[in-house]
Amino acid sequence: MTGRADHSGIVLYFAAVMLFQSTNVFAKYLMLDYPILQVVWARFLFNFLVFLPVFLLPAYRHFMRPVVLRHQLARSGLLYATNMVFLAGLSILPLATAASIMFVGPMILVTLSAIFLAERIGPRRWLAVVIGFAGVIVILRPGLSFTWASLLPLLAATMYSIYQIVTRRMSAGDPTLTTFYFTPAVGAVCSSIVAIFFWKWPTPTGWLLMIAMGFFAGAGQYFLIKAFERSQASLLAPFGYSSLIWATFFGFIVFGDLPDELTIAGAAIVIAAGLYIWHRERTLGRQSSLS
């Protein structure tokens, strides 16, 4: 792989992270006036509708036919539930706080991989997991200004890690664009079933914001796919932590929120632990490829 390809992948990955945080801004703003389940519905439905014409083109129709349908339904359903739980927390918490708690994901993934995939985890990675969870405790600050809503991003991070475990175990052999199609499609169906019970008719501005939210979510997924096509995952992973920068920026510009000292300190601990886990996994991957 050329250096140019690597750099183009990084730029695309940065763009994807920015778009995902922009999607969260739209969602948080909409949840000031609309029920959470209706906002979840809009996020998935307009994501699906905006990009559906692409899949109706003859060259892309085959991506709508998965190898194993139940695998796509299981993965997409789990990702829908993850988004719903995260947005529930985001409706209460500042953007930067919710993003910081979600950074515990790599630590949860390591733990679940050891339990369900029987992967061998060395003592240094286990130490990083413990330190990462300590950072989350600093962010949650039990006994100080703790709020139960802080547990929702933690639950969402756990659910997303389970999603990754399920994806590893379900080798359906589908191309990435098939997952790109089914993720919003399943989410749109699931959310449409429940949103009608919590419906509030949107204003014209509300409709525009919902459509923009769906477009940004889909565009983020597209840039993410293209980034991984051009660059290795091991190269891109650390740049995912740039989402905290975007979350802090958007949180301040739109909502006037800034993370306090404990949130910054806890996020720094979690990010450091996550970067060490990434470093160890990359090092071990190189060693195994050479043996």
Side-chain angles (χ1 to χ4, degrees):
M1 182 175 295
T2 66
R4 182 179 180 183
D6 280 355
H7 285 298
S8 65
I10 291 171
V11 171
L12 290 168
Y13 194 68
F14 267 124
V17 170
M18 185 272 290
L19 288 167
F20 288 142
Q21 285 303 322
S22 300
T23 301
N24 291 336
V25 172
F26 283 117
K28 186 173 178 63
Y29 189 83
L30 283 165
M31 287 186 291
L32 296 175
D33 296 313
Y34 301 98
I36 294 172
L37 291 175
Q38 185 176 352
V39 174
V40 174
W41 164 82
R43 181 172 187 165
F44 281 97
L45 179 68
F46 290 113
N47 181 351
F48 175 67
L49 292 179
V50 164
F51 291 93
L52 179 60
V54 175
F55 290 97
L56 295 178
L57 296 173
Y60 289 89
R61 287 177 187 170
H62 65 282
F63 289 115
M64 295 190 291
R65 297 188 294 270
V67 175
V68 183
L69 178 61
R70 67 177 182 275
H71 289 177
Q72 286 292 345
L73 294 178
R75 279 193 292 246
S76 300
L78 189 54
L79 200 56
Y80 159 71
T82 299
N83 276 271
M84 186 166 59
V85 171
F86 175 74
L87 288 185
L90 187 63
S91 67
I92 302 171
L93 300 171
L95 278 167
T97 301
S100 299
I101 297 172
M102 284 293 291
F103 287 150
V104 77
M107 279 65 81
I108 296 174
L109 183 59
V110 168
T111 304
L112 294 180
S113 297
I115 296 172
F116 295 107
L117 299 180
E119 292 186 2
R120 184 179 178 276
I121 310 298
R124 283 181 283 187
R125 275 192 290 174
W126 278 123
L127 178 61
V129 168
V130 172
I131 293 174
F133 281 118
V136 172
I137 292 174
V138 172
I139 299 172
L140 296 178
R141 67 201 70 181
L144 297 176
S145 56
F146 172 77
T147 172
W148 288 104
S150 301
L151 297 179
L152 292 174
L154 184 60
L155 176 59
T158 303
M159 295 172 70
Y160 186 69
S161 297
I162 295 173
Y163 164 82
Q164 292 176 286
I165 294 292
V166 169
T167 300
R168 287 187 189 181
R169 300 195 71 168
M170 291 181 176
S171 301
D174 285 322
T176 305
L177 282 177
T178 299
T179 301
F180 179 72
Y181 169 80
F182 270 91
T183 297
V186 173
V189 172
C190 293
S191 58
S192 295
I193 294 173
V194 296
I196 57 175
F197 299 103
F198 303 90
W199 184 261
K200 178 182 177 181
W201 194 260
T203 63
T205 300
W207 281 118
L208 288 174
L209 291 174
M210 290 178 181
I211 294 171
M213 178 177 59
F215 176 81
F216 274 54
Q221 288 288 345
Y222 177 78
F223 279 117
L224 190 68
I225 291 170
K226 300 305 290 186
F228 282 111
E229 284 180 358
R230 299 191 182 195
S231 304
Q232 295 179 348
S234 58
L235 172 70
L236 298 176
F239 297 101
Y241 292 108
S242 64
S243 62
L244 182 58
I245 299 174
W246 290 113
T248 302
F249 174 75
F250 288 136
F252 176 71
I253 295 297
V254 181
F255 304 104
D257 294 329
L258 281 175
D260 58 23
E261 292 83 356
L262 283 177
T263 300
I264 294 173
I269 294 171
V270 174
I271 290 173
L275 287 174
Y276 181 76
I277 289 174
W278 161 79
H279 168 71
R280 285 297 301 164
E281 290 180 347
R282 194 177 187 188
T283 301
L284 293 173
R286 287 173 176 172
Q287 291 174 352
S288 61
S289 65
L290 293 175
S291 60

